[in-house]
Amino acid sequence: MHSVTWHAPRRPVRFSNLPPPRPPTARRKNCTSCKCPREAHDVCHEEWVSVRSRLGLKGEESSCPVTFDPRGKGLAWAPPGLPAHKVEEYFSMLPEKSVPRLGTPGERYRDRQLAFQLPKQDLARAYCRHLNPKHASSADDFMAARNEIALDIGSVQEVFERDVDCGACHTPLKYGTLAVSASKLGLLYHPACFRCTECKELLVDLAYCVHDDTLFCERHYAEQLKPRCAACDELIFSGEYTKAMSKDWHSGHFCCWQCDESLTGQRYVLRDEHPYCIKCYESVFANGCEECNKIIGIDSKDLSYKDKHWHEACFLCNRCRVSLVDKQFGSKVDKIYCGNCYDAQFASRCDGCGEIFRAGTKKMEYKTRQWHEKCFCCVVCKNPIGTKSFIPREQEIYCAACYEDKFATRCVKCNKIITSGGVTYKNEPWHRDCFTCSNCNNSLAGQRFTSRDDKPYCADCFGELFAKRCTACSKPITGIGGTRFISFEDRHWHNDCFICAGCKTSLVGRGFITDGEDIICPDCAKMKLM
């Protein structure tokens, strides 16, 4: 039997009545094709010859003009006033990904940071597409005050004083190294420390703003003073705007992520942190009911089971049509049934007692067989096995203890169970410690042995008790290990001991003559007769 998941509808949110929205055209800062932020794309800013031009700052480009063309050195930008070898020293102090070498990720990183840290709609009113004319003077005043009070471009210089600390990390700047000077704060910084306090990124082309004696990029400086529309990315200069999803929006710019229609004063649903109007949410994300094939709207309960969905009123037994909400149910061939109908039509039976498995009953399964929990027990002791280990044998189930007691291998000598390291002799099992010499009782496991009258003996005992003895050396001739020997009449010799009593040469394979208790070769016999 199964449980069903109830999907609570995403609660719509309604805003109070606000002024009618503007047409939705071009009010989002996202790509209309892939919907990712536009700064994530590669961008180009050839319309500005320098960051000073982009910022709209008046006066000289720099008190220390560039001494060479950066692009001639393979760079998209270089700090003004530095010779080529000092430029390389400066960039060596930065992460490689931040070095704007032409045709590298560093150049694309700089382009994206120019678009992000210095948004053109913040810098010139001509780029504000959604600025109400009646608020134009407020925008001009903001930009003029920012340019006069907060906005500046840092410069790179050598450190010619000792005991000077970095304005960010407060560690000493090494004498003679390069540092970035922020004249509006009167501080020097390690090149890698000259970052926006908010986004933690390096300040692109050394452009910075100061607010409360703190460094910011222009974007985050502006957001300290003005709200920014999350849709069009422009600053909001009117006193009336929408707050939703912990963000600020121009009135009318809070739009459906799918159709771009304004959600101001309308119900909406959040999905993956994006708002959708009711119509788009239901058409894109709402599930279809398995019973009636209609959309399950946000105002209806969505009951689901195994990737299938139903209206609450449509979640019925396929046979008797009773509601299955908050009840146990079973499924078969993509159909759902109440407990009684499922049992009557499909329930399997226990291999122990033969009764059916009713809805909600725990089932124990092994291969193709199944039991009630209480029926899954040892055939010997009748104790339920549950989740303990068991051993099947000829359609019967045994607990480990009963199986071992009944079927485990036992030593023929001590009759105890052999758990490991046994020895087989004449097709019978022995403990290693029980398999011993019949005479001296030393263990024969791993040793050479032989047998007599079905009893095992070690080589030494067998030789002492039963083996023939060599006439020459009087030692046993056991034959173990392939030892060869020679017999003549009632006497026996090891191969090595069968030698002439006179000249001591081996007589194996040669003729010999007996001389009393001795054996001699024919040559020695001739010598003895002469």
Side-chain angles (χ1 to χ4, degrees), residues 395-523:
Q395 301 300 311
E396 301 290 356
I397 300 296
Y398 297 83
C399 66
C402 290
Y403 183 89
E404 185 177 86
D405 185 62
K406 187 169 184 177
F407 299 108
T409 302
R410 295 178 179 274
C411 175
V412 297
K413 184 174 183 178
C414 68
N415 200 39
K416 294 181 180 179
I417 294 172
I418 301 174
T419 56
S420 62
V423 174
T424 300
Y425 173 64
K426 291 188 179 295
N427 295 324
E428 292 183 321
W430 305 65
H431 286 112
R432 291 176 63 88
D433 294 340
C434 293
F435 188 60
T436 60
C437 172
S438 300
N439 184 56
C440 66
N441 285 325
N442 288 332
S443 175
L444 297 178
Q447 305 297 322
R448 294 192 307 166
F449 70 94
T450 187
S451 63
R452 186 181 180 91
D453 299 329
D454 291 333
K455 294 181 180 180
Y457 294 88
C458 65
D460 292 340
C461 290
F462 184 85
E464 290 295 331
L465 295 175
F466 307 111
K468 298 177 175 63
R469 293 187 176 272
C470 177
T471 301
C473 68
S474 299
K475 294 181 180 179
I477 303 174
T478 62
I480 295 175
T483 302
R484 301 175 67 183
F485 66 95
I486 295 148
S487 296
F488 177 69
E489 296 180 346
D490 291 330
R491 292 187 292 173
H492 311 278
W493 294 266
H494 290 108
N495 260 24
D496 294 340
C497 295
F498 192 57
I499 59 177
C500 173
C503 63
K504 307 301 182 182
T505 59
S506 176
L507 297 177
V508 177
R510 297 175 58 189
F512 63 91
I513 298 169
T514 61
D515 183 20
E517 294 295 324
D518 296 329
I519 56 172
I520 57 177
C521 65
D523 292 338

Side-chain angles (χ1 to χ4, degrees), residues 32 116 176 230 264 313 450 502:
T32 55
F116 180 76
T264 302
T450 187

Side-chain angles (χ1 to χ4, degrees), residues 36 144 168 284 351 364:
C36 64
V284 176
D351 283 310
M364 312 297 291

Side-chain angles (χ1 to χ4, degrees), residues 317-319 324 329-330 332 335-339 342 345-346:
C317 172
N318 189 65
R319 187 175 184 185
L324 300 178
F329 65 95
K332 192 77 170 182
K335 302 294 184 181
I336 54 175
Y337 300 87
C338 66
Y342 184 89
Q345 195 163 350
F346 306 110

Side-chain angles (χ1 to χ4, degrees), residues 272-345:
D272 299 328
E273 298 184 358
H274 298 305
Y276 293 84
C277 66
I278 304 302
K279 181 178 179 181
C280 287
Y281 178 83
E282 292 185 346
S283 64
V284 176
F285 300 110
N287 299 303
C289 177
E290 290 291 317
E291 180 68 24
C292 67
N293 295 320
K294 295 180 180 179
I295 291 294
I296 304 174
I298 65 167
D299 295 318
S300 302
K301 284 185 178 180
D302 182 340
L303 302 179
S304 70
Y305 170 69
K306 286 189 175 179
D307 298 326
K308 297 181 182 297
H309 300 264
W310 293 265
H311 290 102
E312 184 178 19
C314 296
F315 194 57
L316 309 173
C317 172
N318 189 65
R319 187 175 184 185
C320 68
R321 311 305 294 168
V322 67
S323 174
L324 300 178
V325 177
D326 296 328
K327 295 179 181 178
Q328 291 182 327
F329 65 95
S331 66
K332 192 77 170 182
V333 196
D334 294 332
K335 302 294 184 181
I336 54 175
Y337 300 87
C338 66
N340 291 334
C341 290
Y342 184 89
D343 287 347
Q345 195 163 350

